[in-house]
Amino acid sequence: MDKNNQFGYHAWLQPRVIESLPGFTLSGLEGFAYDECKKGIARLTGGKPGNTNIELSISDTLTHEAYTITGSFDGISIAGGGESGLLYGVYGLLARLSQGQTQFDVTEKPATSRRILNHWDNIDGSVERGYSGKSLFFKDGQIAYDPERLHDYARLLASIGINQICINNVNVYFQSAQLITQKLPDVARIADIFRPFGIKLIISVHFESPALLGGLETSDPLDEDVANWWKQATAEVYKHIPDLAGFLIKADSEFRAGPMSLGRTQAEGANVIAKALKPFGGMAYWRCFVYNCMQDWRDTVTDRPKAAYNYFKPLDGDFDDNVMLQIKHGPSDFQVREPNSPLLGAMDNTRQGMELQVTQEYTGQQKDLYALAVQWEEIFEHPVTSTSKTRDLVGNKIEAVVAVANTGSDANWTGHLLAQANLYAFGKMAWDPTLTAAQVTKEWVALTFGTNPQLFDPMVDMILSSRAVYEKYNAPLGIGWMVNINHHYGPSVDGYEYMKWGTYHRADTKAIGVDRTSAGTGLTAQYHPYVRDMYEDKKTCPEEIMLYFHRLPYNYRLKSGQTLIQYIYDTHFEGVDDVKGFIQTWESIKEHMPIDAYTPVRQRLDAQLKNAEEWRDVVNSYFYRKTGIADEKGRKIY
Ligand code: GCV
C-alpha cells in the first residue's frame, strides 16, 4: 500500500475535511508559514472557496517562537514573534480548527527554549532501542533518506514545537564519528530539509575524535593539539551547517571513552568541545549517564543511582556557559517508576536539560500500550527543589527537555499506532509542561481519530489508563529492572540480579529492596531536604516508589491493609485483566475507525496480552516460590 494512504502516516495532521468550516483566504506575510497555512487549510476544507481571511504577520512585541491567534470566522489574525513563531501559530490555528474551535484569543509561548529529540540511529540503518523499523536518516553505512518522508517528518515535529533533533546515536562508532569530517555535505542536506520548519540539527560526536579521526596520539582535553583539532573540525562543520545547534556527547559511559579515563574531569572533557562550539553559538550537550557498569553484584555499598550526582554535583560552576548537562529524568534508566534524579535542579551554576525517552525501551517497546504523558506529568509535577513551583521546569533550572525518539521507517512512524500519542505528548508538554496527560491525549485522539464520542471517550480512557496497567504487571513499587537482559522486553526477575550493571533488588525469602535511606546507601541525602525527608520515612514515601528507597518484608502492610506479597499477586492478576479490557474496548470502537487503524493495533494488543500473562506468571511464581506465601484468593500460581 502507498505509505501516504495508510492510516497513521499523517498522524495528527489527518487530511480530514470538516464540513462546518468556511472557505478561507490568506493575506499578509508570504513565505514558508504562509505556504504551510495554505496547505493545511486545503487539508481541512478540501479547498472550499470562501472569504474568511487569515492574516499572517510578524509582531515585534512577541519573542521569536511566540504567537497570537485572534478573531473568528469573520477574520483571523496570526502573529508570530519571528518566523518560527508564525509557523507555530499556523499549526496552532490548524489544530484548533480541526478540533472545532471557532473563536480565537490565544497567546502562546514555549516554556522551554530547547525542545529536542535524540535519534539513536546508527549509520548501518539500525536504531538502538528502536521499535519502528529502520533509521529515517541512514542506511548501509551512508546517509540515505526519502526526502519527501523527511519533509513530512519535519512538519510533524514542527507542528508540536520540536526545535532541535540529534540525528545519530549517542553511542558513536567509527562511521558515525565521521559525520563531522567525511559526510558533511550530506548532513547539510538533511539540515536544509529541517531548517524551514525551525528545527536545528545536533550531531553526536565521539569523545576520542581527535585520536580516532585526526590521528592524534591522545584525546586528552587539556592537550593543546586536541583543543586545536576540535576547533578546526568544528569550524569546518559550521561552514556546512552554520546553524547547527551543537554536539551531543556520551562519555565515560557504558564502555565509551571519556575524560575520566584520561584522568580529567567531566567539566574538562565538556569544555574543550564547548570552546570549539562557542564562536558559532553551538551547545555541547553533555550526558550525565555516568556510572560503573562493571560493578560486582556482591558489592552492597556502591549504589548506581547515586553515581550521576556524585560525579557532577562537585563540578557545579566548572562547566562553560555553552555546556548543557543532559540528565536522565530518573537516577536509574527510564524505568516505569523512578524518583526524579537528585541531580536535576541541584546545580546553581550549570546549565541543565532533562532527558526522557519517547521510545519505549523498558515500557513495552511499542508492542504494549503505554501512555508516557502520564509518567511525564508526574515527573514535571514532582519538585526538584523545595522552592520552585512544580511544573515550572525553568524555575527548577531545567532549560531543555530532550527525549529519545520513537520514530522510524514504519509507515505509521512509531510502530504502534497509539505510540504516536507519546510523540505528540512530548512536543506539547515540552512546550508547556503545565499541560496534563488528559489534555494532550484528548487533543491527540481528536486530531487523529476525530471527536465522535463513541470512539473518543473509550479511546482516551484506554490510553490514559495504560501506564498504570503496564506498571501493574511489571516490577512492583518502583523496584524496576525485572526485565530480560539486553533487549529489555518481557520478565526476568533475576535477569539483572547477579550482573555487573548495578541494578539489584536483592530479594530473599523474607524481604526485597535496597535501603537507600540514611541507614542504607544514603541516596536520599542527595535530594533537597524537603524531598529527602519525604523519601527517608516509610510513612511519607509515596507507596508507588517505596521499593526504590526501602527494603520491605513481604508481610509489610501497605496503606490499603494489603500485605506486600498480596499486592504483588493482586496487581499482576489485575494487569492481565485490564489488558483483556483494552481488547474489549478496542473491539467496541472498531466500527468507528478505519480498518487499517483497527487491525494493527488489535494485533499489538494481542501481543501485549501474552506479554502481560508472562509477566504475571513469572513474577507471581517467583515470589510464591521465594516466600512460600499462598495467594489469599487461591488463584493459580505456577
Ligand atoms: C544509547 C541504556 C540503553 C542503551 C543506551 C543507554 C544510554 O543503557 O539500554 O541502549 O545507549 O541507556 O542512554 O546511553
Side-chain angles (χ1 to χ4, degrees):
M1 191 188 294
D2 176 2
K3 67 179 184 339
N4 290 352
N5 290 331
Q6 183 161 334
F7 188 85
Y9 183 78
H10 298 284
W12 48 88
L13 302 178
Q14 286 298 317
R16 184 184 299 114
V17 173
I18 300 169
E19 300 301 339
S20 57
L21 287 180
F24 293 96
T25 54
L26 260 64
S27 66
L29 189 69
E30 294 194 14
F32 191 78
Y34 186 98
D35 295 344
E36 282 295 287
C37 193
K38 208 166 161 184
K39 285 181 203 153
I41 289 297
R43 166 167 70 81
L44 299 182
T45 65
K48 184 175 186 172
N51 55 10
T52 298
N53 189 52
I54 303 173
E55 194 195 6
L56 285 79
S57 63
I58 298 285
S59 160
D60 296 339
T61 57
L62 296 168
T63 51
H64 179 66
E65 292 188 308
Y67 67 85
T68 58
I69 309 173
T70 47
S72 66
F73 289 162
D74 292 333
I76 298 170
S77 297
I78 308 175
E83 282 179 26
S84 290
L86 187 58
L87 188 63
Y88 293 143
V90 165
Y91 295 133
L93 174 66
L94 296 170
R96 286 172 176 85
L97 291 174
S98 299
Q99 293 173 82
Q101 204 168 317
T102 56
Q103 304 269 342
F104 308 95
D105 184 12
V106 179
T107 303
E108 283 268 354
K109 71 171 169 35
T112 46
S113 58
R114 291 160 196 270
R115 305 170 300 279
I116 308 173
L117 271 187
N118 283 181
H119 285 267
W120 283 356
D121 291 19
N122 299 313
I123 303 283
D124 66 3
S126 62
V127 180
E128 182 156 346
R129 311 305 178 191
Y131 313 106
S132 316
K134 297 286 187 186
S135 170
L136 291 167
F137 308 105
F138 309 114
K139 194 179 171 193
D140 300 336
Q142 300 298 331
I143 294 188
Y145 52 87
D146 170 349
E148 188 195 329
R149 192 172 160 93
L150 266 202
H151 185 84
D152 291 345
Y153 184 51
R155 176 182 294 117
L156 280 179
L157 299 189
S159 74
I160 52 173
I162 286 167
N163 64 1
Q164 295 184 15
I165 58 163
C166 182
I167 56 171
N168 62 315
N169 191 355
V170 287
N171 287 331
V172 181
Y173 304 98
F174 183 66
Q175 279 185 318
S176 57
Q178 288 181 320
L179 285 178
I180 59 167
T181 49
Q182 309 294 312
K183 299 186 165 62
L184 283 170
D186 286 335
V187 180
R189 277 190 275 277
I190 297 182
D192 291 344
I193 294 179
F194 283 89
R195 185 172 297 111
F197 290 97
I199 299 171
K200 292 180 178 170
L201 297 200
I202 300 169
I203 304 174
S204 288
V205 296
H206 198 298
F207 181 74
E208 288 188 312
S209 293
L212 201 66
L213 305 174
L216 301 192
E217 275 177 16
T218 177
S219 294
D220 181 347
L222 299 193
D223 184 289
E224 209 178 311
D225 291 341
V226 168
N228 285 333
W229 187 89
W230 277 113
K231 282 186 183 145
Q232 279 163 19
T234 305
E236 193 58 30
V237 171
Y238 275 86
K239 272 190 206 154
H240 291 264
I241 312 154
D243 57 352
L244 188 86
F247 293 150
L248 172 62
I249 309 104
K250 171 176 177 176
D252 284 318
S253 173
E254 300 186 328
F255 312 109
R256 324 262 351 130
M260 257 155 48
S261 48
L262 298 162
R264 306 301 182 198
T265 69
Q266 295 296 308
E268 286 164 338
N271 291 348
V272 71
I273 301 177
K275 286 192 168 55
L277 289 159
K278 181 81 177 171
F280 309 100
M283 183 68 78
Y285 293 99
W286 187 265
R287 294 179 86 234
C288 299
F289 191 49
V290 180
Y291 68 98
N292 175 13
C293 64
M294 293 295 281
Q295 187 176 333
D296 184 339
W297 60 269
R298 299 167 193 83
D299 168 4
T300 54
V301 177
T302 307
D303 191 17
R304 171 171 160 178
K306 292 171 67 180
Y309 184 98
N310 283 345
Y311 285 121
F312 286 91
K313 167 76 178 168
L315 300 175
D316 188 18
D318 290 357
F319 292 92
D320 284 3
D321 64 2
N322 64 326
V323 174
M324 174 89 62
L325 293 189
Q326 192 165 306
I327 306 167
K328 287 193 182 185
H329 69 79
S332 290
D333 188 13
F334 303 131
Q335 301 297 294
V336 175
R337 176 80 62 177
E338 293 186 43
N340 281 356
S341 167
L343 192 59
L344 287 167
M347 291 167 288
D348 288 332
N349 302 302
T350 306
R351 300 180 74 178
Q352 298 158 63
M354 180 194 280
E355 184 180 304
L356 306 165
Q357 239 190 2
V358 199
T359 197
Q360 294 171 237
E361 177 178 355
Y362 294 94
T363 53
Q365 304 199 350
Q366 281 128 259
K367 291 194 186 85
D368 296 25
L369 180 62
Y370 188 102
L372 281 156
V374 174
Q375 188 169 2
W376 297 334
E377 191 181 322
E378 293 160 3
I379 291 167
F380 293 168
E381 186 75 41
H382 197 79
V384 288
T385 71
S386 71
T387 43
S388 295
K389 280 186 299 183
T390 56
R391 305 233 200 161
D392 173 9
L393 295 185
V394 176
N396 277 287
K397 308 191 188 79
I398 311 299
E399 287 182 64
V401 190
V402 185
V404 184
N406 66 347
T407 41
S409 62
D410 281 359
N412 69 8
W413 304 98
T414 54
H416 198 315
L417 177 63
L418 303 187
Q420 288 183 359
N422 288 331
L423 182 58
Y424 182 83
F426 171 68
K428 299 297 282 192
M429 291 172 88
W431 176 283
D432 180 1
T434 68
L435 287 174
T436 63
Q439 282 172 304
V440 294
T441 303
K442 285 178 182 168
E443 271 177 34
W444 180 78
V445 174
L447 294 170
T448 310
F449 287 94
T451 51
N452 170 4
Q454 285 171 300
L455 171 140
F456 183 84
D457 296 331
M459 195 185 289
V460 168
D461 289 349
M462 172 174 154
I463 295 173
L464 285 175
S465 69
S466 63
R467 189 295 185 96
V469 170
Y470 187 87
E471 186 173 26
K472 282 185 195 174
Y473 61 79
N474 211 267
L477 300 182
I479 198 148
W481 296 111
M482 292 182 176
V483 285
N484 279 308
I485 62 164
N486 300 330
H487 66 79
H488 299 162
Y489 187 76
S492 176
V493 180
D494 278 343
Y496 273 96
E497 195 55 18
Y498 304 100
M499 299 286 287
K500 59 193 176 189
W501 298 98
T503 49
Y504 314 112
H505 56 66
R506 306 208 186 273
D508 62 19
T509 58
K510 299 273 180 301
I512 179 169
V514 172
D515 182 351
R516 295 194 162 107
T517 68
S518 50
T521 71
L523 170 67
T524 48
Q526 293 185 343
Y527 287 90
H528 188 281
Y530 168 82
V531 184
R532 177 199 64 204
D533 293 349
M534 176 177 72
Y535 288 142
E536 183 76 13
D537 186 344
K538 287 197 213 49
K539 289 197 208 73
T540 49
C541 181
E543 238 168 29
E544 62 274 8
I545 200 81
M546 194 68 105
L547 285 174
Y548 201 95
F549 289 103
H550 297 276
R551 181 166 177 83
L552 299 181
Y554 296 106
N555 60 6
Y556 179 86
R557 292 238 170 241
L558 297 170
K559 290 195 181 105
S560 62
Q562 249 172 335
T563 59
L564 171 61
I565 187 75
Q566 193 57 40
Y567 171 86
I568 293 175
Y569 294 150
D570 284 353
T571 47
H572 284 77
F573 281 108
E574 273 169 37
V576 171
D577 291 344
D578 291 346
V579 177
K580 289 180 183 157
F582 287 169
I583 293 176
Q584 277 169 8
T585 301
W586 200 247
E587 287 302 313
S588 74
I589 58 179
K590 174 179 178 179
E591 62 184 297
H592 305 297
M593 69 178 87
I595 193 72
D596 53 346
Y598 161 80
T599 308
V601 173
R602 171 65 211 242
Q603 284 162 353
R604 288 189 191 236
L605 289 172
D606 288 343
Q608 179 170 4
L609 181 58
K610 282 206 177 68
N611 188 37
E613 286 170 346
E614 190 68 8
W615 272 96
R616 175 196 63 194
D617 294 337
V618 170
V619 171
N620 284 350
S621 301
Y622 177 94
F623 287 105
Y624 175 60
R625 291 178 190 179
K626 206 95 192 169
T627 64
I629 303 173
D631 170 35
E632 281 170 4
K633 295 173 187 157
R635 290 161 294 195
K636 185 162 175 62
I637 293 177
Y638 294 85

